Amino acid sequence: MSQALDDRSESIRMIRDSAGAVAPRDGDTKRVRALRFVEPGFSRDVFAEMGALGWIGLAAPEAAGGSGLGMSEAVALTEELGAGLAPEPLIPAMLSARLLAAAEDKALLGGLLDGSKVVLTAWQEKADSIAVPGTGDAPRMFIPQAGGADAFLLPVREGNRIALVALEAAGSDLVLEKTMDGGFVGTLRADLSRGSRIADDVGAVVEQAIDEAALATAGHMLGLMEKAFELTLGYLKTRQQFGRIIGTFQSLQHRAADLKIHVSLTRAAVESAAAVLDDGATGAVRQAAVSKAKHRAVESGMYVLRQCIQLHGGIGYTDEYDVGLYLRRGMVIMNQYGAAALHRRRFMALAPEDVE
């Protein structure tokens, strides 16, 4: 057991180190700022580098060409990318990789895993939902960075089964909207007659993949709040007012201590949920663990991000100062794969006696 834990710790350390190639924690934000509000909102070259590093297939089975690692590694990676504000749609791509591995579509999966193809899953039909109705002719909404997609995957319900259809992005009816962090989300009105059926039933897999994406998003939020808190501590230690470093004011020290507690609680919730999934949890156990972590990450994350802006004073509200970029990203991802209230309701329904 000790050797297994040591191996996992080393794997996670290596994943964190590799993230520095794309999103160094101490790097500047010039790349991120240059991509804001410019379609497609991310770099295809960086996405390809993510593929080359094995990130897109991190949790996909080795037999399908993935790395076969677990959610502990995945949340460590998305945490680092959150801290670095990487805008590339890695989490949606990881979800697609899980579905393509289940569908055994080697051609499309191969292009996605090596980063040469951006394949996104269009599953959401209404706001704040983690259900997959699979309505054939329904518009698919809130597809992150959809303007850069080469292909879409559409779950389509057929009785008690959910088939999977692949659709080329070229020629699709896709409408993009800007998000406040400088990215884009798309609404796809798909013509299924143009698509190719690649799997007869991925219902169980898509539910699991969405849970994994929700947990990975919680890891991303953890990275945002941790880095914003780090920037804020640096500001408190250098900013002077009334002839004193403002970090010496007791009231601000108390507020900073409160934020540190929220960061620590979020880390505990996210890493605990990842361990539960890595132990093979399914069904209600998996869902409860994910919902507990996602609720905690969003509630604490948004609290910390907003407090960090306030602790920076007037400069925190300017677009030129980096801490505001973290709040804007948090406001975009907070509802992806289910809002805090949705996950709290699901957790209460599954584990009502285990409330934080």
Side-chain angles (χ1 to χ4, degrees), residues 18 30 105 107 110 124 137 152 157 167 170 200 212 215 296 299 302 311 319 334 343 350:
S18 72
K30 289 180 181 178
D105 189 311
Q124 193 169 356
D137 59 353
F152 296 105
R157 184 170 296 278
L167 180 70
D200 292 328
E212 291 175 354
L215 183 54
R296 164 60 69 182
E299 288 287 293
M302 293 310 298
L311 286 170
D319 187 66
M334 62 183 288
H343 280 286
L350 296 169

Side-chain angles (χ1 to χ4, degrees), residues 38-300:
V38 179
E39 293 184 21
F42 68 95
S43 167
R44 291 289 301 249
D45 290 339
V46 171
F47 186 83
E49 187 174 356
M50 290 178 170
L53 288 166
W55 295 352
I56 298 170
L58 191 72
E62 289 183 87
S67 300
L69 298 177
M71 288 307 299
S72 295
E73 288 86 356
V75 297
L77 175 60
T78 57
E79 177 194 338
E80 295 298 320
L81 296 182
L85 288 171
E88 285 69 32
L90 177 65
I91 295 173
M94 293 171 75
L95 188 161
S96 295
R98 290 288 263 162
L99 297 185
L100 287 172
E104 299 182 352
D105 189 311
K106 295 181 180 180
L108 201 52
L109 177 59
L112 174 60
L113 292 183
D114 67 21
S116 61
K117 297 286 186 183
V118 179
V119 184
L120 304 177
T121 302
W123 60 274
Q124 193 169 356
E125 297 179 24
K126 65 177 183 178
D128 192 19
S129 174
I130 52 175
V132 184
T135 310
D137 59 353
R140 307 302 176 92
M141 308 166 66
F142 307 113
I143 308 168
Q145 307 292 46
D150 296 296
F152 296 105
L153 302 180
L154 289 89
V156 179
R157 184 170 296 278
E158 298 175 345
N160 294 325
R161 303 184 306 177
I162 296 183
L164 190 64
V165 173
L167 180 70
E168 290 291 329
S172 295
D173 183 356
L174 180 68
V175 177
L176 299 179
E177 296 180 44
K178 294 178 182 178
T179 56
M180 64 183 64
D181 66 339
F184 298 84
V185 293
T187 297
L188 174 68
R189 290 171 173 80
D191 179 0
L192 295 181
S193 66
R194 295 179 56 245
S196 301
R197 182 192 186 94
I198 60 174
D200 292 328
D201 190 4
V202 294
V205 178
V206 75
E207 288 181 2
Q208 179 180 352
I210 288 174
D211 276 341
E212 291 175 354
L215 183 54
T217 303
H220 193 92
M221 181 67 85
L222 173 60
L224 295 176
M225 63 194 289
E226 192 170 51
K227 181 60 179 181
F229 180 60
E230 178 186 316
L231 291 173
T232 302
L233 286 183
Y235 182 78
L236 294 178
K237 291 175 181 178
T238 56
R239 171 67 172 167
Q240 291 193 27
Q241 195 169 19
F242 307 117
R244 293 176 57 189
I245 298 294
I246 63 173
T248 63
F249 297 151
Q250 193 174 57
S251 62
L252 297 186
Q253 291 176 354
H254 289 170
R255 290 175 69 178
D258 181 46
L259 300 187
K260 177 62 176 178
I261 291 171
H262 278 274
V263 172
S264 297
L265 288 173
T266 300
R267 175 171 298 283
V270 170
E271 292 183 350
S272 175
V276 169
L277 268 63
D278 288 341
D279 285 341
T282 59
V285 177
R286 181 193 73 219
Q287 293 171 356
V290 169
S291 286
K292 185 175 183 179
K294 183 61 158 57
H295 170 264
R296 164 60 69 182
V298 173
E299 288 287 293
S300 288

Side-chain angles (χ1 to χ4, degrees), residues 5-22:
L5 290 175
D6 288 345
D7 290 346
R8 169 138 273 169
S9 296
E10 178 62 14
S11 176
I12 291 171
R13 185 194 66 77
M14 292 176 65
I15 287 291
R16 290 187 184 278
D17 288 347
S18 72
V22 171

